[in-house]
Amino acid sequence: MDQIHLMNVFVAVGEEEGFAAAARRLDLSPAAVTRAIAGLEEQLGVRLLMRTTRNVRLTEAGQRYLDDTRSILASIEEANEAAAGVNSAPKGNLSVTASVLFGKKFVMPCILRYLNDFPEVEVSALFLDRIVNLVDEGVDVAIRIGHLPDSSLKALRVGQVRRVLCAAPDYLARHGMPQHPADLLRHTIIAATGISPRVEWKFGAVDDPTLVRLRPRLTVSSNDAAIEAATSGLGICRLLSYQVAEDVNAGRLQIILDDYEEAPWPVHVVHRESKFGSAKVRNFIDLLAEHLRAHRHLQ
């Protein structure tokens, strides 16, 4: 059988965790899917799937082969697009992910400009306060804040942000200005779980940090809610500098304990482009990088 066909069938079975679901996805008969998997396992001489009466699971070798096969099929698709001339003008669907507030403040303006510039492109934007796996979820471009783990993904540094503590001026007038991280134990704390899930705040140098374990009076699941609580005068919150920049500039919040801040966190545009470099991704990354590097809140 055709090797690419076998790979496509295997990826469908592995992702759907079933022969019937893979058959529906590929518009094939279940028997054809079964034959393809049997032929692939015979060709490779290794068991890729474990079959039970209820489901299908990948073996250890099957999981490695699934990861490699996805990468191979993606490269083939990009090579075909390049040969067909797709690189000459951006077209097709582009998927982008970022955290909620970052996406709203920085990415959406770029998406709107991009859509105006390239009418044959559609964009899917996933603004989520979690790490999206680009390969598993089929995402083209991500904006990541923080130090990156080693991976096969390409990364382009476009700025930096700080982790800051802030409170409303009227709260500080009523409760006093903390002079040391330990003083936070005597203050009302607002915790945003997207940033500090364990409510343990570190300060200072990486090799000699000061750790303060806090019991927040308010814990919220979104950074927007934490900002609202802080500007209302409830207490002290810890967020990223770009998230509170507008409120700090307007005087609604005041940054405190900045002498004890950690080193800034880098901001990267991350993508999984191969050497072919599709035009839709390349043009968007160029636009996004230019916009982010020029923004004063990311300096």
Side-chain angles (χ1 to χ4, degrees), residues 80-299:
N80 289 340
E81 288 181 353
V86 173
N87 276 358
S88 61
K91 61 177 65 175
N93 186 272
L94 174 77
S95 52
V96 184
T97 186
S99 60
V100 175
L101 280 178
F102 197 98
K104 176 182 176 182
K105 292 177 179 290
F106 301 108
V107 183
M108 270 306 298
C110 290
I111 290 175
L112 296 176
R113 178 179 166 187
Y114 184 72
L115 290 172
N116 285 328
D117 290 345
F118 303 109
E120 294 187 74
V121 177
E122 305 92 37
V123 172
S124 300
L126 291 79
F127 296 152
L128 304 168
D129 286 331
R130 67 171 175 85
I131 298 297
V132 173
N133 187 300
L134 272 64
V135 176
D136 290 349
E137 302 188 46
V139 175
D140 296 303
V141 181
I143 294 85
R144 297 274 168 83
I145 298 173
H147 298 285
L148 298 175
D150 292 334
S151 76
S152 61
L153 299 174
K154 315 295 190 301
L156 182 67
R157 181 162 177 159
V158 292
Q160 64 181 24
V161 295
R162 296 152 46 219
R163 235 176 156 190
V164 299
L165 269 72
C166 54
D170 66 320
Y171 171 87
L172 297 172
R174 286 183 283 115
H175 298 279
M177 178 74 71
Q179 302 299 317
H180 186 274
D183 296 342
L184 296 172
L185 296 169
R186 299 189 292 273
H187 282 267
T188 300
I189 300 300
I190 304 162
T193 56
I195 296 297
S196 304
R198 293 183 296 173
V199 199
E200 292 182 349
W201 291 354
K202 290 182 180 179
F203 300 87
V206 174
D207 56 351
D208 187 25
T210 298
L211 177 65
V212 181
R213 293 182 173 87
L214 298 164
R215 182 176 179 179
R217 189 171 181 203
L218 174 66
T219 302
V220 294
S221 60
S222 75
N223 298 318
D224 276 328
I227 293 170
E228 182 178 355
T231 55
S232 74
L234 176 65
I236 297 171
C237 69
R238 190 180 204 186
L239 293 163
L240 296 177
S241 54
Y242 79 87
Q243 295 168 337
V244 297
E246 293 179 3
D247 291 294
V248 170
N249 292 338
R252 294 185 291 269
L253 290 175
Q254 182 176 341
I255 292 177
I256 62 174
L257 295 177
D258 51 339
D259 288 342
Y260 294 91
E261 287 179 9
E262 298 173 298
W265 288 6
V267 180
H268 289 94
V269 174
V270 178
H271 61 98
R272 53 189 180 92
E273 274 293 273
S274 74
K275 61 185 178 181
F276 299 107
S278 64
K280 66 181 180 182
V281 175
R282 187 176 63 250
N283 279 272
F284 183 75
I285 290 174
D286 289 345
L287 174 64
L288 186 61
E290 179 183 8
H291 174 72
L292 297 180
R293 284 172 170 164
H295 205 290
R296 61 192 179 94
H297 292 158
L298 301 178
Q299 303 300 315

